[in-house]
Each structure stands twice: as C-alpha cells, then as structure tokens.
Amino acid sequence: MYKYAFNRILVRNPGYTTPMWNFNNTYQTLPKLFYTPQNPTAVPRPQAVILNKPLAESLRLAESDLQAEVLGGNQLPVGAQPLAQAYAGHQFGHFTMLGDGRAILLGEHFSPSEKPFISDKTDKFTRGFSVPTGEKYEKYDIQLKGAGPTVYSRNGDGRAALAPMLREYIISEAMHALEIPTTRSLAVVSTGEQIIREKPLQGAVLTRVAASHIRVGTFEFAAAFGEPSDVRSLADYTINRHFPAIIDTENKYILLLREVVQRQAALIAKWQSAGFIHGVMNTDNMSICGETIDYGPCAFMDVYSPDTVFSSIDKNGRYAYGNQPKIALWNLARFAESLLSILHKESHKATEIAQAEIEKFDRLFRNERLKNMRGKLGIFSDNPEEEDEFLIDELLQLMQDTAADYTNTFRALTLDLRHTEFLQWNEKWQNRLHRQGKTSGQVQALMKSRNPAVIPRNHRVEAALQAAENGDFAVLQKLLQILAAPYEYNQEQEQYAQPPDPGVCYKTYCGT
Ligand code: AMP
Ligand code: MG
C-alpha cells in the first residue's frame, strides 16, 4: 500500500474532454467480505444494440465513453475497479447465500448535478477523489449485467440473454418515465456469443445505472456471515451514501431502519398505483435506497385483479399484485432483523425497537397509497376526506367485478371525467369532485399527470423482443419512444393503449 492517496487534487486528465467516466470505488472501503474483485470476461463480438442517449447525457458521458468494447466488458474504462458484490437473501421465503453471479460493478460514476450532492461528511468514503469545493455531484453505480462468472456464480454461466436484458431496459425506462424510482438502463450490447438455456440464445450485457446496489440481502449477508462490526460498517456506508441527513444523529441505525421502511412504503404504493407487478420480490431484489431493482418476470397488469401473477416460477402467487405490500413488509422485517445487533446492546430492547419501526409500515403505505389514488381520481391532496378510501376501493371492486382494464379505466375517467358504466359510483365521485371546488380543467390536469395513457403492455413488449431477437430493432425503438412520454395523451399512443385480446394469458419467464 502506498503511504499517500493519489488523485486527491483534481486537475483535468490530459487527453480527456469534460464528459467522461469519472469513477470512484467507494464500495471497496467496506470490509473485504462484502465483495470480490473481478474483471468482466471478454466476449467475442460486442455490438451495441441500444444506447440510452438522454441518460448518457445526464450522466455527462460522451459517445466515446459508450463503446461496445467497454459496455461488453472487453475494455475497462479509466478508473474502473471491477468487483462482484456479496449478498444473501430470502428467495420465496428461504434464506440462501447469493451474490453477483453475473453482474460486475465497474465502480461509482460521479456526475455533476444540481440536485443531491456529496458533502464533506460523506467524502471520507471516497478514495482518491475529492469533491471540488462548491461543486455538486451525484454518484451512480455502473454495473455490467451478464458480464461473466464470479465467485458467486454457483452453477450459473455468468451470462444473460438478449431478450431479458432488453426487457429490463424497456421496463426500467418505462418506470422512470412513470416517475417510479428505479435503476436505469444505459445500454444493451449483444456479445456475439450463444448462451445455452432451454435452447441456445443470443448473449447480451446490460449496463445498469443505480443509486446503489445495496440490498436487504446485503444486510442479511452481513448479519449471517459477518460480525456485528460488519453490519455497522455496512450501515454507516449506507447512511453516508443515501441518508446523509442522519449521519450525526444519536440513533442513526434506528433512523436508517425508519427511512428504509418509509422509502419502501412509498415505492410499493407507486407500484400498486401503476399496476406494476415485480414478480420476484425476494429480499435480494429489494434495494435499500428505494429504487425498483432486478427486473425479471415483471409485468404490468391489464385487467384489474389482485390475484394477478405473470411469473412462471411463482406457482403459489406469493408475489401476486395484491400481495406486494405484505411481502414488502415481510422483507423489511428481515432487514430489521439484520440490524438487531446494532440497534441496541440488549437484544430484547433491539427487538422491541425493530418491531415498533416495522409496525409503522402499514400506516405509511396506506397514506402513500391514498395520496396516489386520490391523484388518479382528480382529488387534490390539500383537501382530503376520510371517505376517499371507500371511493377508491369501491371503484377497484367494480373494476374487478367487470374485469375492467386497470390503466384504461383511469384513462377513460381522465378523458371523460365521468364513467357511464359505474353509474352509482360515478355519482359519488362527481359529488366528491364538486366538494373540492376546483375547475374541471384543474381536475383533468391533475388526472393527466397521474394516469398514464400508456404502460408497457406485455403483448407489446413481447412483440418488440421477438423482433429484436430476429435482428429488427425498429419495433423496440418505437415502443421505447412511446413509453418515454406516458402522460402526453396524444394520438400516437392510441394503439399502444389497447389491451391484449381477451383470453390471451401472458406468462413471463426469468430467462436467466
Ligand atoms: P435474480 O433472479 O436475477 O435476482 O438472480 C438470483 C441470483 O442468481 C443472483 O445471485 C444472480 O447473480 C444469480 N444468477 C442469475 N443468473 C445467473 C447466471 N446466468 N449465472 C450466474 N449467476 C446467476
Ligand atoms: Mg436479483
């Protein structure tokens, strides 16, 4: 080890123009059990099939940063120190050791930003990079998914197939446009390599951009395989990275738990409101910072039914639409357990504290849900009424009884501000709107901002993926363009708003 840290004084690196990878690797300040250094394994013919130019721009990356050789893992960008993260998790209720079996973290990219910034306080976790005074940065994990085997691969090949990576790209970008916190997708490159699944498939690598990849499962890993000091290190790191406001508080680990519960309640309420079904809400697929992560067999519900399950592996409907809040709570209980050793030195007190925090979820979720659903019905939040919950639930029940399309029912209400099918309900709703004293223009504007005219319908996603597998990316590009502006209410969206033919039942596959 050198006696001093390089690159603490920043000058522009000769040969680089301003937009460029700006890597730091703070994850490596954690105890070694949390990761294993691992380079991507090279692929034969990396070729970009899709690049997210707006995202690249917002990260201040130039096209020269997005070469297929880099995004395919054949060349490392300057400053990258690749690693695979260790984590565990409860999969369908069963605890197991996992880890990045096919994903490799290149590092954290520091991107100039007007929004959050890395303060002096958090700076102790950045190595070899000091934030210039007065400048504001956001940092993002840059991860290559499908970049080859790691020590955590178990029997897997470390690779990913083209269609599931494009699926993650489509859905995560659609979620972003729907204003639901999510990891983003910067690119998909095909590898020129066949991978063997049930049949041979084209290999691909997805470049994932995330606020971080710290999962509930990362904490479970620390608690199960590390010492309490490891849990504390991870908690401190997480607080520094995501919750700087609580760094100096006395009960910071309790507050960490509280913040995570709050963010998950808000996230799941947004999923429910959009009709999004994650499909595999295992604890390793739940991000601590409250982003939606790990898009596998996820899908949006067409007909409203709380039992809706798309995932082929979810035989018992554990992760059905209507179960998602309960599952989030269950996962958060696992998170709370992993913190017990640092919540209080007396274990029964620690349990009491954790229990009390976890019990706040239901109320938080209910409030978040009400907030979202009121907006969908054009009810302004400055004028809430107790009975709004009945109004919402009654509509959902009617939708369920009549097998109505979830998104399109709200879309129709938005366009018409009345509903001819649900006459009695409509009368109550009209009265409710009347009582808040807003103009119909104001109500409609609110509803248009809360009710997407389009969502990534499964049949559309499948059609785009099939065309892409056959080398035609135009269908995908068009779909992405439509999904990037879900609240526009324009003519072009019409055909994308159509639900699938009745009776068509879609199954989604992990496709790993
Ligand atoms: P997921 O279902 O994507 O959340 O993945 C669950 C676990 O399986 C994670 O630890 C992944 O890294 C691992 N995994 C999934 N696919 C592969 C693969 N092809 N090779 C190695 N590990 C994999
Ligand atoms: Mg996962």
Side-chain angles (χ1 to χ4, degrees):
M1 210 42 182
Y2 299 108
K3 295 256 170 68
Y4 76 102
F6 297 104
N7 298 330
R8 292 205 70 82
I9 298 168
L10 280 192
V11 290
R12 187 168 300 161
N13 205 345
Y16 287 92
T17 48
T18 323
M20 61 176 189
W21 290 115
N22 208 359
F23 275 116
N24 200 271
N25 300 277
T26 66
Y27 211 73
Q28 302 196 8
T29 64
L30 281 170
K32 291 213 172 333
L33 87 156
F34 284 105
Y35 64 93
T36 305
Q38 173 68 57
N39 281 348
T41 305
V43 296
R45 284 180 308 284
Q47 242 183 349
V49 298
I50 189 148
L51 284 179
N52 192 337
K53 296 216 171 106
L55 177 59
E57 212 165 282
S58 77
L59 293 171
R60 306 281 179 95
L61 295 173
E63 252 182 89
S64 57
D65 296 315
L66 306 177
Q67 286 158 4
E69 292 286 333
V70 168
L71 302 177
N74 289 7
Q75 263 176 32
L76 288 180
V78 176
Q81 287 176 347
L83 59 84
Q85 294 180 330
Y87 53 86
H90 277 83
Q91 297 194 305
F92 292 90
H94 303 285
F95 185 72
T96 176
M97 174 61 200
L98 295 158
D100 287 336
R102 57 166 171 169
I104 289 174
L105 179 69
L106 293 180
E108 298 126 44
H109 171 66
F110 281 55
S111 175
S113 162
E114 277 311 301
K115 278 194 298 166
F117 68 101
I118 295 157
S119 69
D120 292 346
K121 282 181 204 151
T122 58
D123 198 25
K124 68 176 174 177
F125 280 86
T126 66
R127 291 196 319 179
F129 184 94
S130 65
V131 178
T133 321
E135 286 201 27
K136 296 177 178 180
Y137 281 78
E138 270 178 291
K139 62 176 171 175
Y140 298 96
D141 272 11
I142 306 295
Q143 192 201 59
L144 301 182
K145 186 168 175 181
T150 75
V151 292
Y152 312 112
S153 294
R154 294 171 292 167
N155 296 323
D157 60 0
R159 293 300 184 192
L162 180 63
M165 293 307 100
L166 289 174
R167 190 160 218 289
E168 170 153 350
Y169 189 112
I170 298 169
I171 311 280
S172 64
E173 287 306 303
M175 292 286 272
H176 173 73
L178 289 166
E179 296 162 18
I180 301 175
T182 177
T183 62
R184 305 280 309 270
S185 298
L186 183 60
V188 174
V189 298
S190 59
T191 60
E193 188 175 61
Q194 277 205 335
I195 63 168
I196 307 304
R197 295 294 180 265
E198 272 161 25
K199 55 180 183 184
L201 295 170
Q202 300 168 63
V205 178
L206 170 84
T207 308
R208 182 152 78 179
V209 180
S212 84
H213 285 85
I214 306 164
R215 305 150 189 267
V216 167
T218 318
F219 278 88
E220 292 180 282
F221 166 78
F225 300 106
E227 301 297 324
S229 63
D230 296 313
V231 178
R232 192 181 295 271
S233 298
L234 181 64
D236 285 341
Y237 177 86
T238 304
I239 290 170
N240 271 275
R241 192 153 174 184
H242 294 300
F243 308 100
I246 65 172
I247 291 174
D248 289 330
T249 54
E250 210 176 307
N251 301 319
K252 62 179 171 181
Y253 303 126
I254 303 176
L255 293 181
L256 169 64
L257 174 57
R258 191 171 299 166
E259 292 277 346
V260 173
V261 170
Q262 167 69 52
R263 284 200 194 182
Q264 284 300 329
L267 178 68
I268 308 300
K270 286 196 166 160
W271 288 3
Q272 299 307 92
S273 153
F276 172 76
I277 303 167
H278 183 285
V280 222
M281 283 179 73
N282 295 331
T283 55
D284 52 303
N285 294 335
M286 186 184 251
S287 168
I288 291 296
C289 69
E291 286 182 342
T292 312
I293 193 170
D294 271 2
Y295 292 87
C298 60
F300 283 74
M301 180 168 63
D302 294 301
V303 166
Y304 178 77
S305 165
D307 300 335
T308 309
V309 178
F310 291 107
S311 167
S312 62
I313 56 169
D314 191 1
K315 298 271 184 274
N316 299 317
R318 177 180 171 91
Y319 298 138
Y321 171 79
N323 279 352
Q324 294 189 128
K326 279 182 262 176
I327 292 291
L329 175 60
W330 192 86
N331 290 351
L332 287 167
R334 307 288 77 76
F335 175 55
E337 281 165 359
S338 75
L339 293 178
L340 287 177
S341 68
I342 60 169
L343 286 179
H344 201 283
K345 51 186 185 311
E346 290 170 44
S347 78
H348 73 279
K349 282 254 171 62
T351 313
E352 262 172 37
I353 291 168
Q355 189 77 41
E357 293 303 324
I358 288 298
E359 276 166 15
K360 292 177 184 163
F361 177 86
D362 283 339
R363 188 181 49 80
L364 288 167
F365 172 74
R366 186 172 165 210
N367 288 343
E368 291 289 334
R369 171 182 183 262
L370 273 172
K371 192 175 78 185
N372 293 338
M373 298 307 282
R374 279 196 181 100
K376 285 175 86 68
L377 288 180
I379 299 170
F380 284 75
S381 53
D382 54 6
N383 179 25
E385 288 182 10
E386 277 284 313
E387 296 77 44
D388 292 341
E389 197 167 16
F390 296 113
L391 193 68
I392 292 158
D393 288 340
E394 203 178 318
L395 174 63
L396 293 176
Q397 189 62 54
L398 286 164
M399 285 164 64
Q400 190 175 350
D401 295 345
T402 57
D405 184 90
Y406 181 73
T407 304
N408 283 355
T409 301
F410 285 104
R411 182 170 173 268
L413 293 174
T414 304
L415 291 170
D416 251 9
L417 295 189
R418 81 185 99 92
H419 204 294
T420 43
E421 273 177 52
F422 308 145
L423 283 178
Q424 277 182 341
W425 178 86
N426 186 50
E427 202 178 310
K428 285 188 216 169
W429 182 46
Q430 295 304 324
N431 290 337
R432 176 65 184 89
L433 291 180
H434 193 69
R435 282 200 297 279
Q436 68 177 348
K438 306 274 186 195
T439 66
S440 54
Q442 286 170 316
V443 168
Q444 193 169 47
L446 175 62
M447 291 179 71
K448 278 190 171 171
S449 73
R450 302 298 176 85
N451 294 312
V454 281
I455 49 158
R457 301 250 177 207
N458 304 317
H459 62 296
R460 288 282 176 183
V461 174
E462 290 305 319
L465 297 183
Q466 246 176 36
E469 278 189 316
N470 295 324
D472 170 10
F473 294 95
V475 187
L476 171 69
Q477 292 287 4
K478 186 70 201 168
L479 180 63
L480 287 170
Q481 181 216 318
I482 295 288
L483 295 175
Y487 301 108
E488 287 243 313
Y489 282 85
N490 63 28
Q491 198 58 43
E492 218 187 358
Q493 293 171 325
E494 281 294 319
Q495 52 169 315
Y496 289 87
Q498 297 305 316
D501 292 338
V504 180
C505 179
Y506 286 90
K507 273 261 162 279
T508 52
Y509 298 88
C510 265
T512 46

